[in-house]
Amino acid sequence: MGAVIQNLWAKKGRIKFPGGAALPFWGFASSANGKPQIPGPLIKARAGDLVTINLYNHLKKNISLLFPGQQFIPRPVKENGVFVSYNTPAAPGDCTSYSFTAARPGVFLYESGTSPEEQVSMGLYGALVIYPRGYDDLLSPDYHTAYCGNTGTGFDVEKVLILGELDSRLNMAADTGSRFNMPDYNPDHLVINGRSYPHTLLPDNYGLLSSQPVGSGLGIIPGQRVLLRIINAGLQNHTFRLLGITARVVAVDGWPLKADENSLNATYLKNTITVAPGESYDLIFTVNGQGQYFLHHRDFNHPGKGNRFPGGMATRLTATLFESAGVPAAPLDLSCALINRKGVKLSWKNSSTGEEGFVIERKITGEDNIELLAILDNPGRQEYTDSTVLPGISYSYRICAYNSAGASKHSNICRIDTNNIEQGPEKLTCTTMYGKRADLAWSGSNARGSGYAIERRADNSEDFQTIAEVGPNTTFYRDLSVVNNTIYTYRVKAVFPAGAACHSNECVTVPKAAPLSAPDQLRSVYVTDKSVFLVWDHDSSDENKFHIERKTGAGPYIEIDVVANSQTWYTDKDVQKNGTYYYRVRTHSKSEGFSDYSYELLVNTP
Amino acid sequence: MKVKLRLGATDGWVGTPDGGSHYIWGFVDLTGVPENKLSGFRGKAQLMAPPIVLKVEDEVYLTLTNLGTPDRKGLKEPHTIHLHGFPNQIPVYDGVPEASMAVPVTRDLVYYYKPLDPGTYLYHCHHKPAEHIQMGMAGPLIVRPRDFDPTDIEYKTAYGHGTGTEFDREYFIFLSELDGTIHNLVAKAQEPDWTNYKPTHWLINGRSYPDTVNTTDRFPGQPWPAAVGANVGERVLLRFVNLGFQQHAISIPGVDFRVVAVDAVRLQGLNGEDLSYFKNIIYIAPGQSMDAIFTAPEAPDLYPATLPLFNRNYNKNTLAGGEMGGMISEVRVYAPGTLPPQAAPSL
Amino acid sequence: MPTVNLWATDGYVGTPDGKNVYIWGFTDKEGGAAQLPGPAIIVKQQPYLIPTVVTVNLTNKLAEPVSLVFPGQGEVRVNGQPAQPQYQGDKLVSFINHALPGETITYQVTLTGPGTFLYESGTYPHRQVQMGLHGAMIVRPPDYLGLHPEKQTAYGRNTGTEFDREYLLVLGEIDPGLHQSVEHGLPYDTGEFNPRYRTINGKCWNGTVSGDGDGHLPARPYGSMIMMEPGEKVLLRCAGAGFESHPLHPHGNHARVVGLDGKLLQNCGISGTTDLSFKRFTILTGPGQTCDLIYTWTGPGYEPDTNPIPTRLPQIRKMALAPTGLTMWSGSPYLGVKGELPGEIESCNQIGEYHFMLNSHGVPGITGQGAFPGGMPAMIAVYPAGTLEPHHGMLPTESHTP
Ligand SMILES: [Cu+2]
Ligand SMILES: [Cu+2]
């Protein structure tokens, strides 16, 4: 039997999320000088191997490791009779070592056993995959199987997806040594292998994600048997869907559902699966058609940072008939130019085939940080416009092409500075008044330019559109083309004959109509033992309707009818002798919803 | 066998290790208590509710007596007993007040049932169930197989001779949550809003760690510790019940569970297939029960070895957000022959 | 091959506390208002080896793109091409081809076999699925024959899934705050998701105890009042359309889970068939997942004269009755017997039928707007033998075949 030795250095680091967010985290590095990573290094072993983990603690707190699912008896440490660590810890600056025999194949976690609510949340976890002994021996019946040759777990492509989540507030608190109140835990970053969509699509070891080195995009050939190994390192349940795919669940927690040729076959089919914290599921499937398949979180209330779609725990499988041709070649001849009303336009020559897309990186001269500006998730692109530039700044850009085999070398760097662009408009405010309009005001002058462009974005549409242009001495604009109850985001851009200027700040407003007034003066003008004739006043001019509600005795109000807006009366013919009825009326318009109720009217029938 | 049991419904107080005390409603065992002594049990509700142990074919007459809530005198809450999971029940014995009746203060109702299937069940009050379950009116219930014999290792089983469910020791792992704010509101006679439910304490057998492993001190309202003890090599049956409102994921690193039954049904296919399975995380939903057996692992030179038992939803393992607490307990593995045979579950 | 026409549009649903909540949803009637859940698509699988393709024409009457995904089904084609995710610029908009506002898109869905499935929007699903753009799809086995003792099955003859009646239970939640945000065009933040209503078939208690097509609830056409007779096998098709897991507890008996995500829990091999169905007294249906259950209640057979109940009931008027002002109880412990209830009690009981609750044990899943009852409890009503029409509680064999 073999031996597997893995050294882990626990360290502080920073991780990045789409949109520019970054968080401090704690993770394991695989070398003394290496960067910590989330999840920790994937440890691979064979059944029967002796696994030794040497843990070097470069953090300021005690840490330890637990190996759930292994035949490993932890040695908890207590103070005053209470656990302070579930296993022997390494003190800051110290080292400790754990070893055990990898008893059975499967996919497992290793994770911190000291204040795990904090330390596992901070990123001190990773996966351990144990293979059957002959899994890489062409002649063995166990070749390319997850759980030996007679368990129906043969595969062509294997992918480990470690689900996790992060609550930014916890990371900030732990980083500064303060305590986060765990009952408030409500993660805002959901990750697969430490990355949020669309970063998940980038290849392994993508340079700018040095602490999140593992991608989860999958490129396969139709017909290949895909072994998807999902393990939840988070603190919450996650429901994961394979859209367009029905998979066979072949193992749970590393226990095959068909243990050997004589045991019954308890595998089953699923397309959506809820994975509890610490659980693992091995799924096997094939896809027949070429194309893209999303593997994503079905807990749609957590799509990702800012709770916009798409984001968070999602990745993609791409089935193509031909295997990718390897790492794509670097794009050539990157050039950048200021483009009127657009920002900085990048152009390049695409010299590769078989790329999945391109990544744009940007750096501000004088700063260290290189920003992962955009992922262009489609092949063949030759240009991109960065509309997020600010004035008075010198930018450098470089790009690369990527596919599942990896990222190309970078293109040349192009530099552009916006120094010579005049300061643009600022302090943009927008206000709405009742009645379909939005008023914009800003400050600044555009004496050398040709004026201002007013740009607007509605609701969830992605792009700003220019709705008007005004002269250089203007600082006010009234937008009469709004629709009530729509969210509008405005920005104003100074326009120059020779190129783009920068944008103002953005402001958001929601124009509203005057609220619907409630029907007034509800009265009964004619009451018999068979009918009640009601009348009310309303000054509504829209396409409103009136909703009439009635209550009998102590019962609830029930809507008895709806009438058109021109009709401010109603006859209730469904009444009985000596009845006690209460009525109320409200009006409704499609755009404004319901008004308040009229006051309540009591009617006693004779 | 004819079994007569009596439970009282009343209020009481429980403590958590962060120094908090919480108003509860719950049950207290009145079996065998003379009528003139009943009032002495007012205000003595227990969290978790007293475990009920029955045997297949017992004829169970379970009397519920509503003792009222001495610490909230104005309150006149009726209560019921819902024997959750008993097949072929009829509504008058099912405890749903919208479909039968509830027991007002000072009154009794006798619930009858003849259990035919062994397993781990649960019972709880079904009057305004969100509130009454959260307030503490919930407990575990065991039905022993007909051939159960604790003195014969072949017949000391969860589901009967030959079902592969032999065990040496058995423990309740009764999971629930406590929202301190809601308990406080109820104590002050205010209406909680259930959509704001946000637990502050997570409990095993009615206690929060480290009280869960405290087997020496007495907790009058919470008589059940949750520490699991076994001699090495013994088979330990954990009877999981979840009567909180959240799913939980319980783990004991170093131990492999064999799940033999879920919801009091042995895992068996229609044609008798053995569908018991191994698991390392017990993922359990509210209103479910699970029976899992593990073998106390060898740990030479560590006896008594301590294996932590915790909720893998690590955020639930704190005391109101503070120190380690909540759904944590431990398994203590002793050298062979150290622990004497177990007299009753969880002892 | 069946063709289904759906319109994505908006509408309102009422809640038990008298509010109207703005929804988006599907309707299969041109010009109709949104339904919650969407119309059940019920189709029959073709015999072995003949592919079954359902054509779904979706017309989008909303102001943003809308699409349909069919989890668990086979290939989906649009205009003869395999459906694909849709991007706008560099950003994913839909998991599958969508219809822009005003447009109609045609999906051709190849079925994978019998079972209970979901269909739902694949466009901005964090918003559109919560707003109501979801529904269930039921695929009947090729040999399905209604009211035939061996062929009225969920998964085909000899699969152990015969049933006498069936009910569809689409489980979900409504966060009225989010719906209001959409209605008024305010920012929509699902991170603050706080569902105030848990629903079965779009309804809360006590809308859940009304039958199909209840006149008061026109936007929600499917009842969740489960009616049956003793000993009958009732197929409950549960579909988790919301964002939460719902642990449903049927009183009165365990239910046998026979299918998950529309797949029969059975494996066939050389050595024969392995049955993987399991019995539960609480069935957890996760979000985006489905679960087929078979429930029976036979009862202990108590009769007033020949087999009386073994305890003496107390004087009923001294007990607490009808906690919410209303009871489902007849006043008698016996099936088919109407007892005496105090005059001030209003009983919904018809002929002495038994009522068993089917309630969620989850996070206040049985409260609505924060109070009990509300939310998810539904009722299983067991009627005396021979009193229900044989077809009562049956969904049509096929829903959209001319
Ligand atoms: Cu109660
Ligand atoms: Cu229950």
Side-chain angles (χ1 to χ4, degrees):
Chain A
M1 301 285 139
V4 171
I5 298 171
Q6 175 78 47
N7 297 320
L8 297 174
W9 278 263
K11 299 179 182 183
K12 272 173 82 152
R14 274 183 93 69
I15 44 178
K16 295 180 181 179
F17 297 98
L23 279 181
F25 87 109
W26 302 339
F28 297 113
S30 52
S31 68
N33 301 320
K35 283 208 171 187
Q37 61 179 75
I38 179 171
L42 184 71
I43 304 175
K44 293 184 172 189
R46 287 163 211 255
D49 283 351
L50 180 68
V51 180
T52 303
I53 315 272
N54 300 313
L55 174 64
Y56 300 87
N57 184 359
H58 287 195
L59 294 171
K60 289 182 181 149
K61 294 187 168 186
N62 283 357
I63 63 169
S64 65
L65 285 179
L66 279 181
F67 304 97
Q70 306 306 324
Q71 290 179 5
F72 174 89
I73 304 296
R75 295 172 179 236
V77 179
K78 289 185 172 184
E79 270 170 27
N80 303 322
V82 177
F83 289 126
V84 291
S85 183
Y86 289 140
N87 202 2
T88 312
D94 252 355
C95 167
T96 190
S97 169
Y98 310 97
S99 60
F100 54 89
T101 301
R104 57 186 168 103
V107 55
F108 305 96
L109 283 177
Y110 65 89
E111 55 180 338
S112 174
T114 308
S115 300
E117 75 286 356
E118 178 183 68
Q119 297 192 1
V120 173
S121 305
M122 283 300 281
L124 291 170
Y125 64 81
L128 163 67
V129 181
I130 303 175
Y131 294 94
R133 286 219 70 76
Y135 86 105
D136 56 352
D137 173 359
L138 204 57
L139 300 176
S140 163
D142 300 343
Y143 181 67
H144 266 225
T145 65
Y147 292 92
C148 300
N150 42 33
T151 57
T153 58
F155 64 87
D156 301 305
V157 178
E158 179 196 29
K159 187 74 194 171
V160 178
L161 301 182
I162 307 175
L163 311 183
E165 82 273 326
L166 297 104
D167 184 324
S168 303
R169 298 164 306 165
L170 183 149
N171 284 56
M172 307 302 273
D175 185 53
T176 55
S178 51
R179 183 187 286 281
F180 177 72
N181 183 41
M182 285 315 289
D184 291 339
Y185 184 69
N186 184 17
D188 53 353
H189 292 289
L190 301 196
V191 295
I192 302 175
N193 296 344
R195 296 181 183 177
S196 286
Y197 180 88
H199 287 178
T200 48
L201 303 181
L202 293 177
D204 289 358
N205 303 314
Y206 185 79
L208 284 191
L209 300 172
S210 53
S211 280
Q212 296 143 285
V214 186
S216 48
L218 255 172
I220 62 147
I221 300 171
Q224 279 187 324
R225 296 165 301 169
V226 182
L227 169 65
L228 206 58
R229 323 197 81 168
I230 302 177
I231 186 159
N232 183 358
L235 276 54
Q236 301 188 325
N237 303 326
H238 294 293
T239 297
F240 205 68
R241 168 172 286 167
L242 316 180
L243 187 56
I245 294 169
T246 298
R248 185 162 286 278
V249 181
V250 296
V252 183
D253 288 2
W255 297 99
L257 295 176
K258 182 180 186 314
D260 56 56
E261 70 251 71
N262 297 320
S263 65
L264 61 86
N265 178 2
T267 63
Y268 57 96
L269 296 169
K270 280 292 266 172
N271 64 65
T272 303
I273 195 145
T274 300
V275 188
E279 276 190 327
S280 76
Y281 279 84
D282 282 307
L283 312 174
I284 290 183
F285 61 86
T286 55
V287 300
N288 297 320
Q290 295 190 71
Q292 296 182 342
Y293 298 81
F294 266 87
L295 317 177
H296 67 87
H297 208 213
R298 175 56 180 68
D299 304 338
F300 287 136
N301 49 329
H302 284 129
K305 183 63 185 170
N307 300 307
R308 305 273 290 199
F309 174 86
M313 199 179 274
T315 189
R316 198 176 59 197
L317 178 150
T318 307
T320 46
L321 279 181
F322 304 100
E323 249 173 298
S324 90
V327 178
L332 302 172
D333 300 342
L334 177 67
S335 64
C336 32
L338 285 175
I339 299 298
N340 197 13
R341 304 182 199 187
K342 289 285 186 196
V344 174
K345 181 177 177 186
L346 308 177
S347 314
W348 62 88
K349 249 193 220 142
N350 179 13
S351 68
S352 65
T353 51
E355 78 276 5
E356 277 173 22
F358 298 87
V359 189
I360 316 283
E361 298 178 6
R362 184 176 78 173
K363 182 173 172 298
I364 294 174
T365 306
E367 289 182 11
D368 291 338
N369 183 42
I370 302 173
E371 199 183 333
L372 203 167
L373 182 66
I375 297 173
L376 313 183
D377 184 30
N378 36 25
R381 286 282 286 261
Q382 311 249 25
E383 57 176 57
Y384 175 75
T385 300
D386 176 10
S387 56
T388 63
V389 291
L390 296 171
I393 290 176
S394 172
Y395 292 100
S396 312
Y397 295 90
R398 61 182 190 186
I399 70 172
C400 64
Y402 73 89
N403 63 18
S404 56
S408 72
K409 292 206 166 52
H410 287 109
S411 68
N412 60 303
I413 291 174
C414 77
R415 277 200 183 80
I416 195 159
D417 66 66
T418 54
N419 280 331
N420 59 348
I421 291 182
E422 196 162 322
Q423 184 66 40
E426 53 183 0
K427 293 181 186 156
L428 174 67
T429 58
C430 38
T431 48
T432 46
M433 313 293 282
Y434 284 135
K436 298 192 177 174
R437 68 180 211 222
D439 289 347
L440 311 184
W442 61 92
S443 64
S445 94
N446 187 13
R448 289 198 283 134
S450 54
Y452 294 101
I454 315 293
E455 299 184 333
R456 187 180 78 179
R457 186 176 66 146
D459 267 349
N460 294 292
S461 70
E462 300 305 311
D463 289 314
F464 280 94
Q465 288 178 337
T466 302
I467 54 165
E469 293 187 16
V470 296
N473 298 318
T474 315
T475 56
F476 178 79
Y477 179 72
R478 171 165 289 172
D479 181 7
L480 294 172
S481 65
V482 298
V483 176
N484 282 338
N485 299 320
T486 305
I487 310 171
Y488 291 103
T489 307
Y490 292 93
R491 62 185 186 190
V492 176
K493 186 169 72 175
V495 183
F496 298 90
C502 52
H503 290 101
S504 69
N505 58 302
E506 295 180 1
C507 67
V508 180
T509 189
V510 184
K512 288 211 173 299
L516 277 180
S517 56
D520 198 12
Q521 304 292 324
L522 175 64
R523 56 210 184 265
S524 57
V525 294
Y526 186 64
V527 177
T528 71
D529 61 353
K530 293 190 186 65
S531 67
V532 173
F533 183 60
L534 302 169
V535 180
W536 58 88
D537 297 342
H538 195 256
D539 55 3
S540 110
S541 56
D542 278 62
E543 68 298 275
N544 301 357
K545 289 192 161 72
F546 293 104
H547 292 241
I548 298 106
E549 295 186 7
R550 187 181 77 176
K551 176 169 95 166
T552 309
Y557 267 111
I558 290 167
E559 190 174 289
I560 52 171
D561 214 338
V562 178
V563 297
N565 86 303
S566 50
Q567 184 185 328
T568 54
W569 67 90
Y570 181 73
T571 309
D572 180 7
K573 291 180 182 149
D574 182 25
V575 296
Q576 301 191 342
K577 275 184 198 169
N578 298 321
T580 299
Y581 300 99
Y582 295 87
Y583 294 91
R584 60 184 188 186
V585 179
R586 57 179 172 166
T587 183
H588 178 266
S589 85
K590 201 164 173 168
S591 54
E592 307 301 330
F594 281 103
S595 71
D596 287 336
Y597 285 105
S598 67
Y599 56 68
E600 197 177 61
L601 174 72
L602 166 64
V603 177
N604 288 308
T605 51
Chain B
M1 207 173 70
K2 200 164 173 173
V3 178
K4 285 197 159 183
L5 301 170
R6 188 172 195 179
L7 288 176
T10 182
D11 61 357
W13 292 85
V14 294
T16 44
D18 55 338
S21 59
H22 309 277
Y23 181 63
I24 63 159
W25 299 337
F27 295 107
V28 58
D29 190 359
L30 301 178
T31 307
V33 174
E35 289 298 315
N36 58 358
K37 294 270 170 10
L38 289 180
S39 62
F41 289 83
R42 302 183 71 219
K44 295 202 171 145
Q46 289 181 353
L47 193 73
M48 78 187 163
I52 298 176
V53 181
L54 305 171
K55 202 165 178 178
V56 163
E57 298 212 323
D58 275 351
E59 296 208 56
V60 185
Y61 295 81
L62 171 58
T63 305
L64 172 64
T65 301
N66 188 340
L67 297 173
T69 48
D71 278 345
R72 263 201 61 191
K73 294 215 165 52
L75 189 74
K76 297 273 180 268
E77 284 291 287
H79 300 290
T80 71
I81 290 176
H82 167 56
L83 298 159
H84 176 120
F86 276 2
N88 288 319
Q89 188 57 286
I90 62 170
V92 285
Y93 299 140
D94 192 44
V96 174
E98 292 78 8
S100 59
M101 55 192 148
V103 184
V105 180
T106 74
R107 304 258 166 223
D108 285 338
L109 182 65
V110 182
Y111 295 86
Y112 171 86
Y113 193 75
K114 185 172 173 182
L116 296 177
D117 303 305
T120 304
Y121 297 82
L122 32 149
Y123 72 95
H124 58 84
C125 175
H126 219 292
H127 182 75
K128 294 195 205 154
E131 184 175 30
H132 286 227
I133 292 173
Q134 168 60 204
M135 286 306 287
M137 310 197 77
L141 189 156
I142 298 178
V143 177
R144 302 262 186 228
R146 188 193 324 236
D147 58 6
F148 184 74
D149 179 355
T151 63
D152 184 335
I153 54 162
E154 278 191 38
Y155 289 88
K156 185 175 182 180
T157 67
Y159 287 87
H161 180 241
T163 58
T165 59
E166 300 81 7
F167 64 89
D168 300 300
R169 295 176 193 278
E170 62 185 322
Y171 293 88
F172 298 109
I173 303 291
F174 183 89
L175 308 171
S176 66
E177 309 114 28
L178 188 154
D179 179 334
T181 314
I182 282 180
H183 283 247
N184 219 345
L185 286 172
V186 173
K188 288 191 270 185
Q190 287 163 8
E191 270 299 309
D193 179 340
W194 288 94
T195 42
N196 294 335
Y197 179 69
K198 190 182 171 201
T200 50
H201 293 85
W202 285 268
L203 311 177
I204 308 180
N205 296 357
R207 296 186 185 186
S208 171
Y209 184 80
D211 291 350
T212 48
V213 296
N214 188 333
T215 47
T216 47
D217 296 332
R218 264 179 45 78
F219 297 76
Q222 297 145 285
W224 294 96
V228 174
N231 298 323
V232 61
E234 285 184 333
R235 292 157 304 186
V236 182
L237 168 64
L238 297 184
R239 296 180 180 269
F240 290 90
V241 173
N242 182 356
L243 268 172
F245 296 144
Q246 303 177 329
Q247 283 91 257
H248 298 294
I250 304 298
S251 172
I252 308 174
V255 154
D256 299 328
F257 299 110
R258 188 164 65 89
V259 180
V260 297
V262 182
D263 288 359
V265 179
R266 185 156 80 89
L267 291 168
Q268 203 181 30
L270 271 187
N271 318 310
E273 296 93 337
D274 177 12
L275 298 177
S276 68
Y277 55 83
F278 282 98
K279 202 80 179 67
N280 294 96
I281 297 276
I282 298 291
Y283 176 57
I284 183 168
Q288 277 193 334
S289 79
M290 275 193 204
D291 295 311
I293 296 175
F294 71 89
T295 304
E298 287 184 29
D301 67 271
L302 286 178
Y303 300 123
T306 303
L307 306 181
L309 175 161
F310 53 75
N311 193 334
R312 183 57 182 68
N313 299 107
Y314 287 130
N315 50 322
K316 299 174 180 173
N317 298 343
T318 66
L319 281 175
E323 302 298 318
M324 239 183 184
M327 277 187 187
I328 303 178
S329 183
E330 60 192 40
V331 177
R332 296 167 188 159
V333 181
Y334 295 86
T338 310
L339 292 180
Q342 202 181 23
S346 274
L347 287 180
Chain C
M1 296 287 177
T3 297
V4 184
N5 296 315
L6 292 178
W7 285 263
T9 183
D10 61 357
Y12 287 87
V13 291
T15 63
D17 50 336
K19 297 207 169 64
N20 273 290
V21 176
Y22 180 67
I23 60 162
W24 293 346
F26 297 110
T27 172
D28 52 3
K29 291 170 194 70
E30 187 164 14
Q35 276 181 211
L36 189 68
I41 300 176
I42 308 175
V43 294
K44 197 166 161 181
Q45 181 82 25
Q46 294 293 311
Y48 183 58
L49 285 183
I50 303 177
T52 313
V53 179
V54 181
T55 302
V56 181
N57 298 311
L58 169 66
T59 303
N60 181 4
K61 295 175 77 178
L62 292 170
E64 62 181 50
V66 173
S67 63
L68 281 174
V69 295
F70 301 91
Q73 303 303 346
E75 191 187 42
V76 179
R77 285 184 170 257
V78 173
N79 298 329
Q81 295 300 311
Q84 282 292 286
Q86 298 296 304
Y87 302 86
Q88 187 176 9
D90 301 305
K91 206 166 166 188
L92 177 71
V93 172
S94 300
F95 288 132
I96 193 167
N97 303 58
H98 53 231
L100 292 172
E103 283 185 357
T104 299
I105 188 171
T106 300
Y107 299 99
Q108 289 181 300
V109 187
T110 305
L111 305 185
T112 52
T116 305
F117 303 89
L118 280 165
Y119 67 87
E120 62 191 23
S121 174
T123 306
Y124 302 120
H126 68 304
R127 180 170 63 235
Q128 295 195 357
V129 174
Q130 164 62 205
M131 284 303 288
L133 289 165
H134 57 73
M137 181 154 164
I138 294 171
V139 182
R140 304 228 181 253
D143 59 1
Y144 180 85
L145 192 56
L147 302 181
H148 184 286
E150 285 156 29
K151 294 185 176 175
Q152 180 168 294
T153 67
Y155 285 94
R157 202 170 177 173
N158 296 324
T159 58
T161 60
E162 303 82 12
F163 62 88
D164 298 300
R165 300 179 198 276
E166 68 180 329
Y167 295 87
L168 173 65
L169 305 175
V170 180
L171 315 177
E173 317 92 31
I174 295 174
D175 177 341
L178 290 180
H179 286 246
Q180 215 168 17
S181 294
V182 170
E183 183 175 13
H184 298 301
L186 300 171
Y188 181 94
D189 184 357
T190 47
E192 302 301 314
F193 183 61
N194 183 16
R196 307 276 290 174
Y197 307 98
R198 268 87 181 175
T199 56
I200 299 180
N201 294 341
K203 301 172 197 181
C204 297
W205 175 274
N206 52 18
T208 51
V209 294
S210 53
D212 281 4
D214 182 312
H216 291 298
L217 302 162
R220 289 154 301 177
Y222 302 103
S224 43
M225 181 75 193
I226 295 154
M227 296 160 85
M228 60 180 287
E229 293 180 11
E232 287 183 339
K233 295 185 183 125
V234 180
L235 174 65
L236 302 177
R237 301 175 178 271
C238 300
F243 298 168
E244 296 184 333
S245 296
H246 296 287
L248 277 187
H249 168 52
H251 288 221
N253 208 346
H254 289 68
R256 190 161 65 85
V257 179
V258 297
L260 293 176
D261 284 6
K263 300 294 171 200
L264 177 66
L265 282 167
Q266 206 171 76
N267 281 318
C268 296
I270 315 159
S271 52
T273 304
T274 306
D275 180 73
L276 303 173
S277 67
F278 48 83
K279 279 179 156 186
R280 291 280 187 274
F281 53 57
T282 302
I283 299 96
L284 186 66
T285 305
Q289 295 160 64
T290 70
C291 194
D292 291 317
L293 324 171
I294 294 177
Y295 175 91
T296 44
W297 182 92
T298 312
Y302 293 126
E303 294 279 350
D305 302 323
T306 55
N307 183 17
I309 62 165
T311 67
R312 258 178 100 91
L313 292 189
Q315 279 187 13
I316 286 171
R317 65 170 51 250
K318 291 188 175 161
M319 302 305 280
L321 301 166
T324 53
L326 192 111
T327 185
M328 316 299 286
W329 190 33
S330 66
S332 160
Y334 297 102
L335 181 62
V337 177
K338 289 273 264 182
E340 285 280 316
L341 283 169
E344 71 276 12
I345 303 284
E346 191 191 336
S347 174
C348 300
N349 196 286
Q350 291 178 296
I351 54 168
E353 74 277 10
Y354 280 168
H355 287 261
F356 294 103
M357 205 170 248
L358 172 72
N359 64 280
S360 165
H361 248 276
V363 179
I366 39 178
T367 60
Q369 198 68 12
F372 179 84
M376 227 170 231
M379 282 288 184
I380 300 169
V382 181
Y383 282 77
T387 58
L388 289 180
E389 297 284 335
H391 60 268
H392 185 95
M394 293 305 302
L395 298 165
T397 300
E398 291 175 274
S399 61
H400 292 87
T401 306

